[in-house]
Amino acid sequence: MRRNTVLALSTVVVMAVVAALLIVLTRGDDSLAGVSVTEGEVPTINVDEPVEVDPGDPKVDTLTEGDGREVAEGDYFRANYIFADGETGEQLESSYEPPAEGAPASSVVFEMTPSDEAASPQSAPGLPGGLVDALADTTVGSSVLVALTAEDFFGSDVYDQAEAQGGADQLPYTREQVLLFYLQIEDSIDTKADPAPKGEETDLPAGVPSPIVDGDSVTGLDGAGATEPVADGVFPVITGDGDAVEADDYVYANYVGQLYPDGEVFDSSFERDAPSLFSLTGVIPCWTNELTGQTVGSRVVLTCTSESAYGEGGGAGGAIPPNAPLTFVVDIVATL
C-alpha cells in the first residue's frame, strides 16, 4: 500500500497504538452493525454486511471513547488510520504500511479543517469536508469508524466536473461508493490556546541579537554588538516547563526570521497573527539541530550560519541572499 495515494487526494483518517492480542472492538451504537474492527499488529476492518450510506449523511461509530480533550475545528492532530472499501472491507490504504521502502510506518499529522482551508498543507493536510463534520466532538484517545460516500468525501464538484468533461469513468470511485475509515486520535494541539511563552526569563549572553518586543508580538531582533562571525546556537530568553522537543516532532511555533545580525525581516508568523506548524525533519538544519531539546513554552533566539540555513542558493523568494547567515526568535507553543 502507498500512503501518498490517499494523501494526494486529501484523504485522512486515523488509528493508533494497537494491542498485542487480537480484540474485536465493541461500538457505542448500531449504525454500523455490519462492520467490526479486529486489532492486532496491523488492524483489519471486517464487513459482514455491505454498508449503506446516504449522500450527505455519514455514519459514525465511536468504538472507544478517549478521555483526552475534544479536537475542535482548526486544531492539529496526530493519528493512525485505515482506509477501506465499504462493501468488501478491502484495505485500500493504511498508516501501518511504510510510506517507502526502508522507511518505518508512522502516524500522520492532519489539520481538522477542510482541505482547501488548511493553514500548513505541506506539513499537515486538511480533511475532506464530510470527514471534518463526521469527526466533530471526537476526543483524543478515541477510535472511530466512519462510513461516507465517495461524493461526500471528494466533493460533488469533482464528480460534476468529471461528468461534464466525459471523464467520470476515470475517477477511482463512483459517487455512491461507500468508503470506510477506522481512526484513532493519538494527540492534538489546541490552536485556540494562548500562544505566549510561559516560563522563567533568562538573560542573553553578550553578542547575541535580542528580541524586539511590541506587546504580544516580536517584530525583529536588535543586533547591535552582535558577535561576528555567526555560529549556530540556541539561546533561551524564556525557558518553558513543557516537554522537550524531539528531532522528529512537529513543532507549532510563532517566529520571526531576519538576516543576521539586524538586517531585513524575511518572514514572520507574528505578522500573520497565527503560529505555524513545521515538521522538524523538514526545516533547515539549524532549526532541526538547535530546537531539539528545547522545551514547550520557551522563547529562544537562534543564530544560524549560511551552511545550516539556505547556503549558496539563498531562499524566501530572493529575500534571503546567497551565503546569508540568519537569526530567529522562536516561541515553541506546542509539539506533536
Side-chain angles (χ1 to χ4, degrees):
M1 298 288 177
R2 293 181 300 169
R3 185 180 313 164
N4 61 348
T5 303
V6 171
L7 292 182
L9 293 171
S10 298
T11 61
V12 282
V13 275
V14 281
M15 194 228 135
V17 182
V18 294
L21 299 176
L22 295 181
I23 302 170
V24 176
L25 293 176
T26 58
R27 56 176 35 82
D29 58 54
D30 293 327
S31 65
L32 289 174
V35 183
S36 61
V37 178
T38 303
E39 283 197 333
E41 185 175 349
V42 177
T44 57
I45 295 177
N46 315 298
V47 178
D48 298 324
E49 299 177 9
V51 179
E52 296 183 2
V53 179
D54 295 326
D57 188 23
K59 292 183 178 180
V60 185
D61 274 348
T62 299
L63 306 178
T64 303
E65 187 163 357
D67 58 5
R69 62 175 298 273
E70 183 178 303
V71 183
E73 186 164 354
D75 287 351
Y76 294 103
F77 66 94
R78 180 183 285 278
N80 274 300
Y81 69 87
I82 294 176
F83 171 40
D85 185 285
E87 182 175 353
T88 65
E90 177 189 359
Q91 179 177 299
L92 304 173
E93 191 164 311
S94 168
S95 64
Y96 292 97
E97 299 289 343
E101 185 177 352
S106 64
S107 53
V108 182
V109 173
F110 302 102
E111 184 178 0
M112 189 75 85
T113 197
S115 299
D116 59 356
E117 298 177 14
S120 303
Q122 293 184 332
S123 299
L127 311 177
L131 200 54
V132 174
D133 295 339
L135 292 176
D137 304 324
T138 302
T139 54
V140 171
S142 294
S143 57
V144 181
L145 186 66
V146 180
L148 73 170
T149 65
E151 180 178 1
D152 285 338
F153 190 86
F154 296 109
S156 58
D157 290 348
V158 171
Y159 289 89
D160 292 343
Q161 183 176 358
E163 290 171 358
Q165 297 175 352
D169 59 346
Q170 301 300 313
L171 295 175
Y173 313 105
T174 64
R175 285 181 184 265
E176 298 80 13
Q177 185 168 351
V178 176
L179 304 175
L180 289 173
F181 301 94
Y182 174 52
L183 42 123
Q184 185 179 33
I185 296 178
E186 297 177 342
D187 199 1
S188 71
I189 290 174
D190 180 2
T191 59
K192 312 298 189 301
D194 181 7
K198 304 171 183 65
E200 182 178 350
E201 295 189 14
T202 305
D203 292 332
L204 288 171
V208 176
S210 59
I212 301 171
V213 179
D214 182 9
D216 294 330
S217 180
V218 178
T219 60
L221 295 106
D222 180 359
T227 300
E228 294 281 4
V230 67
D232 287 348
V234 58
F235 307 95
V237 179
I238 297 173
T239 301
D241 59 4
D243 293 338
V245 176
E246 299 185 9
D248 59 352
D249 276 348
Y250 281 70
V251 176
Y252 186 56
N254 257 325
Y255 68 94
V256 59
Q258 182 172 306
L259 302 181
Y260 186 91
D262 55 2
E264 294 294 321
V265 170
F266 57 83
D267 195 9
S268 173
S269 69
F270 289 102
E271 291 183 359
R272 295 188 291 273
D273 198 28
S276 295
L277 186 75
F278 302 93
S279 168
L280 211 53
T281 61
V283 292
I284 59 175
C286 182
W287 274 50
T288 304
N289 298 334
E290 302 302 332
L291 289 181
T292 298
Q294 301 302 305
T295 53
V296 171
S298 296
R299 169 173 289 170
V300 299
V301 172
L302 295 182
T303 57
C304 304
T305 62
S306 170
E307 292 77 11
S308 68
Y310 293 91
E312 294 180 357
I320 300 173
N323 303 311
L326 307 176
T327 186
F328 298 86
V329 177
V330 182
D331 290 355
I332 305 171
V333 181
T335 59
L336 277 176

